[in-house]
Amino acid sequence: MATFLYKLGRLAFRRRWYVALIWVVLLGLAGAGAATASKSTDDSFSIPGTEAQTAFDLLAERYPGKKADAASARVVFQAPDGQKITEPRNKTAVDKVVGELTGPQVASAPSPFQAKTVSKDGSTAYVLVTYKVASNELTDASRDTLDDAQKHGRDSGLTVEMGGSALQKLPETGSTEIIGIIVSAIVLLITFSSLVAAGLPLLTAIIGVGIGVSSIAALASTLNLSGNTSTLAMMIGLAVGIDYALFIVSRYRAELAEGREREEAAGRAVGTAGSAVVFAGLTVVIALVGLAVVNIPMLTKMGMAAAGTVVIAVLIALTLIPALLGFAGRQVLARKVRKAKDGAPAADRPNMGTRWARLVLRRPVWVLLAGVVGLGALAAPAASLQLGLPDDSSQPVKTTQRKAYDMIAEGFGPGYNGPLMVVVDAKGAKDAKAPQTVARVVGGMDGVAAVTPPMPNKDGDTAVFNVVPKSKPSGEETEDLVHAIRGKGDSLKAETGATVLVTGTTAMNIDVSEKLNDALLPYLALVVGLAFLLLIVVFRSVLVPLKAALGFLLSVVAALGAVVAVFQWGWLSGLFGVEETGPIMSMMPIFMVGVVFGLAMDYEVFLVTRMREAYVHGESPGEAVVTGFRHGARVVSAAAVIMISVFAGFIGSSESMIKMIGFGLAIAVFFDAFVVRMAIVPAVLALLGKAAWWMPAWLGKILPNVDVEGEALQKRLAAPAAEGGGAGASGDPDPDADPRLTRV
């Protein structure tokens, strides 16, 4: 592989105009496709195999014209202190507001005085506005109608707050992306001390993300992609795009410093660092495609789309980067290096990476113990992990959604914020009053605050009624109640002949959490297992990949522990702006595993392949570790700081979910890059010595030799130079004239 990539890098360098033109054309075509494609996307959330989804599908069949996942808004009214909402003046104001809640997308908005949604003390009332479409299909006019009604209600002297899915909008992250790019530029400038070298990774990453996101937008309608798909692709694409370009540009500068001609340096950079990029990219693709094991269609599509963006980032790093290096000339070097005699640095003093590696080699046991014990202690809270999906109770206390939630909980009870929907399939039932029987039994169960009368469909073979729990929607008691009602299903069917299903937003959230929790271990096993096999091929070692996998698991569990401590337990919550603690978002563990695993393997492959390269070229295990850190520590540190900064920018979001994701990813990258890769990895390699690179002879024979460290390439390049034939100014042969370099 190294030989093939070497030839590809030199070809891209020589034919840089054609390569650059191809990528510009691809960007233009993707942009044109996005501009002309249908804007409709599929944001429906289905979870096959769950009872909640089965009930939703049944409702869609038995109640034609009604959408089970239709948007809803809860408009809550509260009378001034000392007054009742039922007083004539206040009642008139409420009715006037309710009369304004109309529109082509509104299905119903009954008066609270007719629907009997007035609190017992008469201070609070609410109207449930249901729509004909899902929340992502609501028009601006429908949303404006809600805002105007709220304003008019407040103008009449009432306290009016709103909540519900109709108020949900995709989080705006444009400002954080800009902050992330600015921080990335600063870190790259410090790392390279060259505006050109710092700009190349940013430019190519933006081009790759532009092509990927535009392609997703162009295919969104055809492939039924959700609006969140491009968000994940953009986050991953920026991360790996900057990392991969950073690795190759760094290696190119190192080759120039050794006196190579520019084309030769580009070829060697792509042949060596490019090999690491290919396999790092494969691990990211494995992690993202592996999301399919969760069996949530939307999550699967998001993973596939993000994986496609990663593939684009790899191809750009292997072709466009060497092409742009051809345009850049020697401007990629720092000014002091360009001014130095012969273009070489004035001195070869040990850098920070070298000094740190030597320190770890002197005290490997203490470094290993400190790293493992420290991360282990941070991982302890993960044992108390509780999963759930965010609702209005997790909103900041100043938002109207949170205020509406608190007003409902105070005036009616916490369960009114998340009623359960019970579907009774009475088709073929032996009891004509099966829905009433089911409602009576469920209403008498522990934990039930109220039950509404069953509402039959037109054919009379299905009925629906709501169950109001005594506990809040995200509480464990509500989850127990859902399971208890479902547990009654068999006995109720035996008694009435009807099938009982529990669904609704609250039940759906519970099912999603359980499904994601059950899928976490299989997902981890698949991703880590496949990556372990891939890394065996890369490093031709058993213990190095095992160490890489175990180190990743340690950093992820420690990050989950930190997330639990801050967002579930409330430790240091004020420091991170966490206003309300509660269950951890259900998708957080799997999402963290998928994203952080890819970045962790990037750092592992780039850092350790340089050690492997030095080892196979004759250095001792300890010297190889120092060499790997001398050349790779600065680059890996820069890449990690960039990613931490990008993710940390999301902590400032007002959305608790985005805040949690930003914190979790930032702390996970910090743990993995600076504790695992920079401390635990060299300590383990120092203790293992030559055993780290051991592999059974029988396994070595059956595994393909991909030559990721470029050993075969170096031998082929060195042989002609030693013979004095085919060398140019730098003593490097022309690979196109050497038939021995044609085999990949």
Side-chain angles (χ1 to χ4, degrees):
M1 174 177 285
T3 304
F4 169 75
L5 294 177
Y6 167 83
K7 292 165 65 69
L8 178 64
R10 293 193 60 156
L11 177 64
F13 187 96
R14 290 196 303 269
R15 302 289 186 263
R16 46 189 172 272
W17 283 106
Y18 294 104
V19 173
L21 180 61
I22 289 172
W23 283 109
V24 169
V25 169
L26 289 176
L27 179 61
L29 291 175
T36 57
S38 171
K39 301 301 180 183
S40 62
T41 57
D42 180 17
D43 284 289
S44 59
F45 191 80
S46 61
I47 43 175
T50 62
E51 182 171 314
Q53 186 63 48
T54 301
F56 271 146
D57 296 339
L58 181 66
L59 289 174
E61 175 188 344
R62 303 285 177 85
Y63 289 82
K66 293 186 178 181
K67 296 189 66 171
D69 59 346
S72 64
R74 200 183 294 257
V75 183
V76 188
F77 305 89
Q78 192 171 68
D81 291 342
Q83 299 182 24
K84 293 183 179 294
I85 202 72
T86 53
E87 293 179 10
R89 181 174 178 273
N90 295 331
K91 184 176 183 297
T92 300
V94 171
D95 286 336
K96 183 178 179 181
V97 172
V98 172
E100 296 178 9
L101 296 172
T102 59
Q105 292 186 314
V106 176
S108 66
S111 167
F113 308 108
Q114 296 175 351
K116 298 181 180 180
T117 52
V118 180
S119 63
K120 291 182 179 180
D121 62 4
S123 65
T124 309
Y126 70 87
V127 54
L128 180 62
V129 185
T130 57
Y131 293 85
K132 301 174 184 177
V133 297
S135 60
N136 64 294
E137 300 175 22
L138 287 176
T139 62
D140 291 338
S142 295
R143 297 183 190 275
D144 291 342
T145 297
L146 276 175
D147 294 337
D148 292 341
Q150 182 184 38
K151 181 179 182 300
H152 295 159
R154 289 175 174 176
D155 291 342
S156 66
L158 300 176
T159 300
V160 185
E161 306 295 347
M162 301 186 303
S165 60
L167 276 69
Q168 292 178 358
K169 297 180 181 179
L170 289 177
E172 298 178 0
T173 57
S175 59
T176 56
E177 291 161 8
I178 294 174
I179 293 173
I181 292 175
I182 293 174
V183 172
S184 301
I186 294 173
V187 174
L188 288 170
L189 186 59
I190 294 174
T191 302
F192 288 135
S193 300
S194 165
L195 283 173
V196 174
L200 284 180
L202 290 175
L203 175 63
T204 54
I206 291 173
I207 291 174
V209 168
I211 294 174
V213 172
S214 297
S215 300
I216 291 171
L219 298 173
S221 179
T222 303
L223 301 180
N224 294 324
L225 302 178
S226 72
N228 291 319
T229 303
S230 60
T231 303
L232 177 62
M234 183 179 298
M235 180 182 293
I236 302 297
L238 278 175
V240 300
I242 294 174
D243 278 3
Y244 297 163
L246 178 63
F247 295 159
I248 292 180
V249 172
S250 175
R251 186 58 184 257
Y252 174 76
R253 284 160 49 98
E255 295 293 339
L256 286 181
E258 293 180 7
R260 305 274 195 278
E261 292 296 331
R262 293 194 300 119
E263 181 179 332
E264 178 66 17
R268 293 192 181 219
V270 176
T272 51
S275 298
V277 165
V278 169
F279 283 95
L282 281 176
T283 59
V284 181
V285 170
I286 288 173
L288 293 171
V289 173
L291 290 172
V293 303
V294 183
N295 195 27
I296 294 180
M298 185 183 74
L299 201 57
T300 299
K301 293 176 182 178
M302 290 173 65
M304 294 291 185
T309 306
V310 172
V311 173
I312 293 173
V314 171
L315 294 176
I316 283 181
L318 299 179
T319 57
L320 186 57
I321 284 293
L324 295 179
L325 289 173
F327 291 116
R330 299 182 66 82
Q331 298 300 312
V332 295
L333 297 174
R335 177 178 293 183
K336 66 178 182 180
V337 176
R338 294 198 303 269
K339 289 185 175 181
K341 185 177 180 180
D342 298 328
D348 188 21
R349 295 188 300 271
N351 59 18
M352 182 67 73
T354 301
R355 293 194 293 271
W356 170 252
R358 289 172 178 169
L359 174 64
V360 174
L361 291 177
R362 288 197 297 270
R363 299 288 188 272
V365 175
W366 289 109
V367 172
L368 179 61
L369 286 176
V372 172
V373 172
L375 291 181
L378 290 168
S384 302
L385 176 67
Q386 296 179 4
L387 298 179
L389 288 179
D391 54 24
D392 287 345
S393 66
S394 61
Q395 295 283 345
V397 294
K398 296 181 180 179
T399 62
T400 186
Q401 296 98 318
R402 174 61 184 275
K403 291 177 180 177
Y405 181 96
D406 292 340
M407 287 166 61
I408 289 288
E410 181 181 351
F412 298 88
Y416 280 83
N417 280 297
L420 307 174
M421 181 185 296
V422 177
V423 181
V424 181
D425 182 4
K427 195 171 185 178
K430 57 186 178 182
D431 185 355
K433 295 185 177 181
Q436 289 76 11
T437 302
V438 173
R440 176 177 50 80
V441 172
V442 172
M445 296 178 64
D446 294 336
V448 175
V451 172
T452 63
M455 297 176 56
N457 65 343
K458 183 178 179 181
D459 296 333
D461 58 1
T462 309
V464 177
F465 64 90
N466 289 333
V467 177
V468 180
K470 292 181 179 179
S471 54
K472 61 183 182 179
S474 59
E476 292 185 26
E477 299 87 350
T478 302
E479 182 178 347
D480 294 339
L481 177 60
V482 170
H483 292 307
I485 296 174
R486 288 172 174 172
K488 287 277 188 180
D490 291 340
S491 61
L492 287 170
K493 186 170 185 179
E495 179 182 349
T496 64
T499 301
V500 179
L501 302 171
V502 183
T503 187
T505 301
T506 301
M508 179 71 83
N509 289 349
I510 292 172
D511 286 351
V512 169
S513 299
E514 291 181 351
K515 190 175 184 68
L516 289 168
N517 190 42
D518 293 342
L520 181 58
L521 288 181
Y523 175 68
L524 264 176
L526 174 68
V527 170
V528 176
L530 290 177
F532 175 73
L533 296 176
L534 183 64
L535 292 178
I536 287 180
V537 175
V538 173
F539 296 126
R540 301 193 69 78
S541 163
V542 175
L543 296 180
V544 170
L546 181 62
K547 172 265 306 170
L550 293 177
F552 161 73
L553 291 175
L554 183 60
S555 61
V556 166
V557 176
L560 281 176
V563 170
V564 170
V566 174
F567 290 87
Q568 186 175 308
W569 291 358
W571 292 5
L572 301 178
S573 57
L575 180 63
F576 299 101
V578 180
E579 298 183 5
E580 186 71 23
T581 60
I584 304 304
M585 185 183 66
S586 301
M587 291 187 182
M588 188 69 192
I590 282 184
F591 186 77
M592 183 184 293
V593 168
V595 175
V596 178
F597 181 79
L599 296 176
M601 292 304 104
D602 285 353
Y603 308 146
E604 174 75 17
V605 170
F606 187 77
L607 191 62
V608 181
T609 49
R610 201 66 189 258
M611 299 178 190
R612 168 74 180 173
E613 180 181 344
Y615 178 73
V616 299
H617 290 162
E619 294 186 9
S620 68
E623 292 172 341
V625 170
V626 174
T627 299
F629 268 80
R630 181 170 64 250
H631 294 290
R634 183 180 179 88
V635 178
V636 171
S637 297
V641 169
I642 289 171
M643 291 306 100
I644 292 171
S645 301
V646 170
F647 295 142
F650 291 90
I651 298 177
S653 172
S654 60
E655 294 284 340
S656 61
M657 180 180 68
I658 301 299
K659 187 188 299 287
M660 187 183 299
I661 290 175
F663 174 83
L665 294 180
I667 200 72
V669 171
F670 175 80
F671 288 159
D672 196 272
F674 293 106
V675 180
V676 174
R677 308 304 153 191
M678 293 292 182
I680 294 178
V681 165
V684 171
L685 292 177
L687 292 173
L688 291 176
K690 292 183 178 180
W693 308 108
W694 170 82
M695 186 171 64
W698 63 268
L699 183 58
K701 292 179 180 178
I702 63 176
L703 288 179
N705 188 356
V706 295
D707 189 29
V708 70
E709 69 280 347
E711 179 185 11
L713 173 63
Q714 295 286 1
K715 290 180 179 178
R716 289 168 181 157
L717 293 174
E723 296 170 3
S730 64
D732 296 314
D734 181 359
D736 296 325
D738 189 348
R740 292 177 296 177
L741 296 183
T742 59
R743 183 175 67 87
V744 178

